[in-house]
Amino acid sequence: MKEIVHTDAAPEAVGAYSQATTNGELVFTAGQIPLTPDGELLGDAPIAEQTERALDNLVAVLDEAGAAPADVLKTTVFLADIDDFDEMNATYADYFDESPPARSAVQAGALPKGVGIEIEAVAAVE
Ligand SMILES: C=C(N)C(=O)O
């Protein structure tokens, strides 16, 4: 059975999607962008700060679903510019330092709201 996950600790969706969905065993997050829960867009910030905001959002959504970073099985990182890879990776490593999940990191042609990064995850629910 599909359940919708929603928390005020992460920004509202910027389109026709849910922050996350779960079947009680797995949680699928929407791509999280550098937008604060209050709706402030950080798209012009350094990529480290954008990564931090996107991951803070991701952690908040996972927490609402009953999962933690250690439960994440796979992430996908979309970058507007693959030259930001190293800076993104350094910040990312702070969130997934032990037994990190599988990951794909790709350059996207463009991202919603003109941001530099979007990160989605699939996690096991405790
Ligand atoms: C930001 C998104 N996750 C979207 O537009 O799908």
Side-chain angles (χ1 to χ4, degrees), residues 11-29:
E12 295 298 326
V14 299
Y17 61 91
S18 300
Q19 291 174 331
T21 57
T22 182
N23 65 357
E25 296 181 357
L26 292 173
V27 54
F28 297 82
T29 79

Side-chain angles (χ1 to χ4, degrees), residues 28-114:
F28 297 82
T29 79
Q32 298 299 314
I33 61 174
L35 182 65
T36 70
D38 293 338
E40 183 188 356
L41 195 60
L42 304 180
D44 291 330
I47 204 67
E49 189 179 337
Q50 293 194 53
T51 302
E52 193 172 276
R53 185 67 258 166
L55 286 171
D56 284 348
N57 294 341
L58 192 72
V59 170
V61 171
L62 289 171
D63 183 60
E64 183 66 25
D71 302 316
V72 175
L73 301 171
K74 170 81 198 295
T75 66
T76 307
V77 177
F78 303 94
L79 291 165
D81 184 347
I82 200 68
D83 286 347
D84 289 333
F85 179 87
D86 288 343
E87 191 176 340
M88 170 282 293
N89 198 49
T91 300
Y92 180 98
D94 292 340
Y95 287 77
F96 298 108
D97 50 354
E98 287 180 23
S99 304
R103 185 183 80 186
S104 302
V106 298
Q107 176 170 308
L111 293 169
K113 305 285 182 187

